[in-house]
Amino acid sequence: MNDAWPIAIARGWHPVAYEKELRPGRPLGVRLMGTPIALFRTGAGPAALIDRCPHRNVPLSGGKVCGDALACPYHGWVFDASGRCLAVPGARDETGARATCVAVTRRHGLIWANLADEPLPFPDLPAEIADPALDGFWRPLAPRMARPLDALENHLDPMHPHFLHRHLVRGADSEVIARTIPI
Ligand code: FES
């Protein structure tokens, strides 16, 4: 789906929303690597479709959740979590239309999406991420222009937040034992 990206990114899993943002009955429009995605809840967990209706390209995220399916806001075509069209109001559905399904999963309070036709397995995350005794926060960042290596280096630099982002994490005047988490 995304040939322009390195394979680990193109076939990898990316957080696209907090789980709490996805309310019952309300789809949520997000973007991943420029691709619009409509998230919605089903009885089996989160589901996602490319946020464009196969009928007239209208964003499905503007529609409404009907049971375990998503109805387009324009003509009301209804798509299930696999993208199959379940209903066309006012007509017998013989269109064979399909919305494009996106792989999603929920882990650690986040919803993760994968745009690949053959997603990589979800990676084992360090157990410490789920340890309530440890500090933890997820912070969505505003888009920035940066080279990937610079961005990675910044995220892997654990000591700058005490000084630069004092409002987010503990300040320079409180210290904890530093520990490396094996990945
Ligand atoms: S544009 Fe979605 S049903 Fe017509």
Side-chain angles (χ1 to χ4, degrees), residues 53 55-58 72 74-77:
C53 179
H55 181 213
R56 297 280 296 277
N57 222 27
V58 168
C72 176
Y74 198 4
H75 307 93
W77 291 20

Side-chain angles (χ1 to χ4, degrees), residues 34-55:
T35 301
I37 298 173
L39 301 170
F40 60 105
R41 274 182 192 261
T42 72
L49 301 172
I50 294 294
D51 197 8
R52 293 292 178 265
C53 179
H55 181 213

Side-chain angles (χ1 to χ4, degrees), residues 1 3 15 23 26 28 34 37 42 60-62 67 80 83 87 94 96 101 119 127 129 136 140 152 157 166 182-183:
M1 221 179 247
D3 295 340
R23 307 219 185 99
R26 304 247 313 257
L28 177 66
I37 298 173
T42 72
L60 293 168
S61 59
D80 70 11
E94 295 178 350
C101 172
I129 286 182
L152 279 173
D157 175 354
R166 281 186 288 259
I183 313 181

Side-chain angles (χ1 to χ4, degrees), residues 149-160:
L149 277 181
D150 291 336
L152 279 173
E153 191 281 334
N154 174 259
H155 281 273
L156 293 172
D157 175 354
M159 298 311 289
H160 81 273

Side-chain angles (χ1 to χ4, degrees), residues 32-138:
L32 174 56
M33 294 185 281
T35 301
I37 298 173
L39 301 170
F40 60 105
R41 274 182 192 261
T42 72
L49 301 172
I50 294 294
D51 197 8
R52 293 292 178 265
C53 179
H55 181 213
R56 297 280 296 277
N57 222 27
V58 168
L60 293 168
S61 59
K64 64 179 184 182
V65 179
C66 306
D68 285 345
L70 183 56
C72 176
Y74 198 4
H75 307 93
W77 291 20
V78 179
F79 303 94
D80 70 11
S82 75
R84 189 165 57 104
C85 184
L86 301 179
V88 174
R92 187 183 306 136
D93 177 21
E94 295 178 350
T95 62
R98 288 192 76 89
T100 304
C101 172
V102 175
V104 282
T105 187
R106 57 182 167 195
R107 308 280 168 106
H108 303 300
L110 297 173
I111 296 176
W112 305 69
N114 192 311
L115 294 174
D117 296 330
E118 295 178 36
L120 294 173
F122 196 90
D124 289 331
L125 297 177
E128 285 84 348
I129 286 182
D131 185 343
L134 299 177
D135 288 348
F137 63 91
W138 296 111

